[in-house]
Structures are given as structure tokens and as C-alpha cells.
Amino acid sequence: MKCSKCKEKAIAYLKPYRIALCKNCYPNFYLNLVSRSIKKYGILRKVERILACVSGGKDSSAMAFALKKLGYNIEILHIDLGIKEYSVKSKKVAEELAEELDVPIHVVELSEYGFTIDDVDVKKVCSVCGTAKRYLMNRFARLNGFDVISTGHTAEDLILFFFKNVLSGGIEWIPKLIPRSESSDGLIARARPLFERSEKENMLFVLSLNVPFVTDECPHAPRDVWKEIIYDIEIKKPGFKQNFVRGLIKLAKSVKVEKEWELKKCRICGETSSSDICAFCRYVEKFGRV
Ligand SMILES: [Zn+2]
Ligand SMILES: [Zn+2]
């Protein structure tokens, strides 16, 4: 198979775009797609101070690399979750990436709060981890004057979120599907510049440019049947993911949902919360060793 642009050996045929690309032509193709999403949906602005959250996985590494190449003003935040060798490798990758991009890196250690993800009961581990990450990134961004937090969420992540939370009746989550939220009530603006990109597109990008990323899966991640279902649909209907996320954004913009809860300040840490004590402080109380 030959590259549709330069006739060199192609690394992949991208069905949704009906194009085959080589290692040299792919990165620019990808960067153009990311740039177009950012402009079309007003996801980021060049004047903003952006906190790019890098876990070390291919998606967040692709996000930080692409933003820097497109001329955005980023600094990297890595959260060390204390998941044995997996976290050690992840932190090393985030540091390598920051060095390669020549951008500042900040590392927040969950262990400073008295627990790590390895201390959490197995069943609840993913929800505790998600809460901890959201809490720590928002707190860091707010205390250090960042305008916006950028994450590596993909089209698959958005569709999974929709299947798991909205289809089961949680229509209050629909507005959360937008790729850019603005800062309010102590919550810093959030951006998902890769929301139209698939994991495969991100993987091809990091591989074609030798961007550092961790290949290991998180040892706590369970098998996700929904994820497999999404892959199956994409195989039968190429382009499904991109079309579906565009539909989700339209839905998110057109639906007005009344807030069912009032935002307060956590009595312990002062962060924005829906209850008197925020979910993160409750976890610190429960799992903390101090
Ligand atoms: Zn080419
Ligand atoms: Zn709190």
C-alpha cells in the first residue's frame, strides 16, 4: 500500500478519510485535524496558559505534543498515583516528553495526601482514581493561575461516557459532553482537543514521531465490554465514532439541564463541591494513613 500523498510505503489506511499515509505525511495530516477541531469548536486560544495533563499514555502524550507543535502555550502536569512500577514508568515518560518539548513539568504526588491508588479497595478503584485526578488537576490549575486544563480524552472516551452515564438515564450528564467548558465557581475551564480523534489516530501519531508514551495498561483497569462494542461498531460502520461524537456535541449544546445540586465550598479543603465535604477529602479520611 502506497501513501496517497507521496507514494512512499504507507503505515496505515484511514478508512473514515479514505486515505493511506506514510510515516512522514501522517503527522501533518493529524495536526491539521486537531487544529481544525480546536478552531471549529473554540476549544483553546493561543493567549491562554494551558495546563496539559499527561498521564504517560499515548492519548495524553499525543495531546501535549500536538498542542506544543501547533504553537499553544502549555505546561505539563503529571499526577503520580502511586501504582507501583506502572506509576514509576509513567512519570519517567511525562518527564521525557517535557524535556523533548522543552516545556515546564509539574508533578503532584497523591501520596502527599496520605494514600495511593494501590491502597484503595479493588471494586471502587477506578472511580476513586478519577475523582482524585479531577480534584488534583483543578486544584493545581487554580492555585497556579492556569486559564484552562487540557486532557487527552478521545472520541472513544466521550462515547463510553455517553453509553455508561447518559443512556442509563443520567440526562443531567449531557451538558458535560462539550469539548470546552468555561471557568466558574472555582472550577477551571476544561478542554478536550482530541475529542474527535480515535485512539488509533493518536497511536499512529506517537509512533510516527517517536513521542514517548507508556505501553503498559494500568494494572487496575478492568476489561471494558462497552469499549469492545464501540470497536465492533466502527469495524462495521467506518467513521461511526467521529460522526457520533459530532452528534453528541450538538445534543450537549441543545439540551438545557437544570443543576440538581448547589455548589458549595468543601469545609476541609475549600475546593468547590456539591456537598459539605468534597469526595476527595472523604477518600483522604477513609484511605489516608495520617
Ligand atoms: Zn507520504
Ligand atoms: Zn475537600
Side-chain angles (χ1 to χ4, degrees), residues 7-159:
K7 309 297 170 205
E8 288 293 312
K9 187 173 174 274
I11 51 166
Y13 177 72
L14 301 157
K15 263 194 181 170
Y17 314 98
R18 297 195 185 91
I19 190 172
L21 290 167
C22 72
K23 201 172 185 270
N24 295 324
C25 295
Y26 182 77
N28 278 335
F29 177 80
Y30 175 91
L31 287 172
N32 272 332
L33 291 176
V34 176
S35 175
R36 251 196 275 163
S37 295
I38 293 175
K39 286 182 185 135
K40 181 172 173 194
Y41 294 94
I43 299 174
L44 290 166
R45 288 178 283 275
K46 294 264 160 88
V47 294
E48 290 178 314
R49 244 190 109 205
I50 302 166
L51 186 65
C53 296
V54 170
S55 66
K58 65 183 187 316
D59 304 312
S60 56
S61 284
M63 178 273 297
F65 203 94
L67 291 187
K68 176 71 181 176
K69 292 294 159 204
L70 291 170
Y72 289 91
N73 174 17
I74 66 160
E75 293 185 25
I76 288 177
L77 173 69
H78 175 74
I79 298 171
D80 183 345
L81 299 159
I83 307 172
K84 295 193 190 72
E85 307 91 82
Y86 175 72
S87 287
V88 175
K89 280 188 195 168
S90 303
K91 183 158 87 178
K92 217 175 136 239
V93 160
E95 286 166 349
E96 276 170 36
L97 182 70
E99 202 185 318
E100 197 171 322
L101 293 177
D102 193 24
V103 297
I105 177 165
H106 312 276
V107 177
V108 171
E109 310 274 347
L110 179 60
S111 61
E112 281 172 23
Y113 293 84
F115 76 104
T116 70
I117 292 304
D118 284 340
D119 300 329
V120 175
D121 332 79
V122 171
K123 254 190 178 170
K124 294 171 67 191
V125 69
C126 291
S127 81
V128 177
C129 186
T131 298
K133 284 192 279 195
R134 283 189 297 275
Y135 177 89
L136 294 171
M137 58 176 92
N138 190 73
R139 188 171 173 85
F140 187 89
R142 191 176 62 74
L143 295 176
N144 293 283
F146 284 90
D147 297 310
V148 54
I149 297 167
S150 180
T151 56
H153 287 100
T154 62
E156 286 91 345
D157 291 325
L158 217 65
I159 299 170

Side-chain angles (χ1 to χ4, degrees), residues 240-256:
F240 149 76
K241 283 185 280 198
Q242 265 120 351
N243 291 331
F244 200 81
V245 287
R246 282 177 204 138
L248 289 181
I249 304 306
K250 278 190 192 156
L251 178 70
K253 284 185 173 165
S254 64
V255 172
K256 286 259 173 297

